[in-house]
Amino acid sequence: LGYGEENNDGNDGNDGNENDGQRPVVLLATSIDSTSMFHDISPGANTAASNILALLLTAHLIGSSVTDDVLDGLSSRIAFGFFQGESYGYIGSRRFLKDVVGGFQ
């Protein structure tokens, strides 16, 4: 379900873990952009690409090698974030935190 969508199948969406919304979240995040004064030259493109690849591989490895029961038993939930505008005052991650704390609008 996406944010704000209702679940009409009779399940409350918690899948047996009723305190899931109260568990802290460990956010694994990376920036997905590079900066340059010249638009045709992006010296940081390799850094952004390697950051994205590392985080995608981490998500894949966790998803393919850890069972749902193990993930449900962790003291924290795991979330993945890919943010833009981080070199310009953390625009993407600041907006994400504003939305999470203040509610999506």
Side-chain angles (χ1 to χ4, degrees):
L1 292 175
Y3 183 82
E5 293 181 32
E6 292 184 24
N7 185 354
N8 294 324
D9 63 2
N11 186 350
D12 62 3
N14 287 331
D15 296 329
N17 196 351
E18 285 143 20
N19 68 346
D20 198 47
Q22 298 172 355
R23 289 176 27 198
V25 175
V26 174
L27 179 63
L28 304 174
T30 188
S31 62
I32 60 173
D33 53 359
S34 64
T35 60
S36 175
M37 292 180 65
F38 307 100
H39 295 289
D40 56 342
I41 301 173
S42 296
N46 288 338
T47 302
S50 61
N51 291 346
I52 294 166
L53 180 61
L55 200 54
L56 287 173
L57 185 57
T58 301
H60 172 73
L61 289 173
I62 290 172
S64 64
S65 62
V66 179
T67 65
D68 289 344
D69 291 335
V70 171
L71 290 173
D72 289 341
L74 295 175
S75 61
S76 299
R77 295 176 290 162
I78 301 172
F80 296 89
F82 299 85
F83 300 116
Q84 287 187 328
E86 299 304 281
S87 298
Y88 299 105
Y90 302 102
I91 294 171
S93 55
R94 283 180 189 252
R95 180 58 198 221
F96 174 77
L97 289 174
K98 180 181 177 188
D99 288 343
V100 168
V101 172
F104 293 92
Q105 298 175 7

